[in-house]
Amino acid sequence: AQSVTQPDIHITVSEGASLELRCNYSYGATPYLFWYVQSPGQGLQLLLKYFSGDTLVQGIKGFEAEFKRSQSSFNLRKPSVHWSDAAEYFCAVGAAPGRRALTFGSGTRLQVQP
Amino acid sequence: EPEVTQTPSHQVTQMGQEVILRCVPISNHLYFYWYRQILGQKVEFLVSFYNNEISEKSEIFDDQFSVERPDGSNFTLKIRSTKLEDSAMYFCASGQGAAETQYFGPGTRLLVL
């Protein structure tokens, strides 16, 4: 069965600092990978996705993520964090053969210090 | 930009009552989903729906749950007899294809007392 691990429950960074949120997945074939962001009281907004091709994908709000098959990872990065990036970030894996359900990680809560 | 909408945003109900959560998916999407997120926990898949039938469901989606697409635009989740443990945020999502991106609505927060 597919699974997603986000090892960091909570991360605090200073505004302007770089950010990397970790995501490891378990899946038998090439996965479809997603990062979603959830601001307090809000729904899930898609930041970026990886289906195939270039392993470095660009998303909205200046985020990028790199798919590394050898490490089963899909880490999210941003070179300079803004206070408005404070939110919860979810990594998800989807589209196992015959399945459409997304499997989510437990999320990483990002706090941004001024 | 088209988006998924959900109503109501909040619902409070008594244990044992029936609730219907409503969603309007993005208009040209063919695949529809419900997920839930219990407070402080991860988002969990409930059910997917395509071509007017359930295509996949999780263990959570037992006989107390049902989904329907009553017309060309709405997609509903019904909980027949709510339990305390049904309290959660319920998200609707839609996608164009089976392996395509799922776009999520803002959620309905359900509180069962």
Side-chain angles (χ1 to χ4, degrees):
Chain A
Q2 57 198 47
S3 66
V4 178
T5 301
Q6 293 180 247
D8 304 305
I9 297 172
H10 186 226
I11 283 182
T12 300
V13 299
S14 298
E15 191 168 16
S18 63
L19 172 71
E20 183 169 29
L21 303 182
R22 296 183 290 166
C23 172
N24 293 99
Y25 66 89
S26 172
Y27 178 62
T30 300
Y32 298 103
L33 294 159
F34 306 84
W35 275 99
Y36 286 88
V37 61
Q38 184 182 31
S39 298
Q42 302 296 310
L44 296 164
Q45 182 182 22
L46 178 71
L47 282 177
L48 47 76
K49 62 187 178 187
Y50 172 79
F51 281 4
S52 64
D54 193 347
T55 56
L56 183 64
V57 292
Q58 304 296 321
I60 62 171
K61 305 184 181 185
F63 285 92
E64 66 177 26
E66 186 170 12
F67 169 60
K68 293 186 177 180
R69 184 190 300 275
S70 62
Q71 297 177 19
S72 297
S73 69
F74 188 57
N75 294 348
L76 182 71
R77 301 193 294 248
K78 187 170 184 178
S80 177
V81 169
H82 188 262
W83 64 266
S84 60
D85 294 325
E88 185 136 27
Y89 292 80
F90 292 94
C91 182
V93 63
R99 300 190 68 230
R100 301 182 184 90
L102 292 182
T103 299
F104 282 82
S106 52
T108 297
R109 181 164 296 281
L110 173 66
Q111 194 170 358
V112 180
Q113 287 181 334
Chain B
E1 185 177 327
E3 58 184 20
V4 177
T5 59
Q6 292 185 242
T7 54
S9 58
H10 293 79
Q11 177 140 10
V12 181
T13 190
Q14 296 291 323
M15 189 169 56
Q17 295 296 304
E18 174 184 287
V19 295
I20 297 176
L21 309 183
R22 291 182 168 79
C23 168
V24 179
I26 294 172
S27 63
N28 63 343
H29 286 183
L30 301 176
Y31 294 83
F32 314 112
Y33 310 85
W34 284 101
Y35 291 79
R36 77 172 186 191
Q37 184 183 30
I38 295 171
L39 190 63
Q41 298 185 24
K42 63 173 68 176
V43 177
E44 302 172 289
F45 169 77
L46 293 178
V47 65
S48 61
F49 191 86
Y50 168 72
N51 200 25
N52 283 317
E53 61 183 25
I54 291 173
S55 52
E56 186 184 358
K57 60 183 181 180
S58 72
E59 293 174 353
I60 303 168
F61 194 88
D62 60 22
D63 292 344
Q64 292 300 311
F65 292 88
S66 62
V67 290
E68 193 178 29
R69 190 156 162 81
D71 52 42
S73 59
N74 289 283
F75 179 51
T76 62
L77 174 69
K78 182 193 289 186
I79 309 175
R80 268 181 263 283
S81 177
T82 50
K83 307 179 189 120
L84 296 176
E85 54 265 37
D86 293 327
S87 295
M89 179 76 94
Y90 287 81
F91 291 107
C92 174
S94 69
Q96 283 184 308
E100 296 294 322
T101 301
Q102 294 177 26
Y103 294 89
F104 284 75
T108 293
R109 183 167 295 285
L110 175 67
L111 178 60
V112 182
L113 301 176

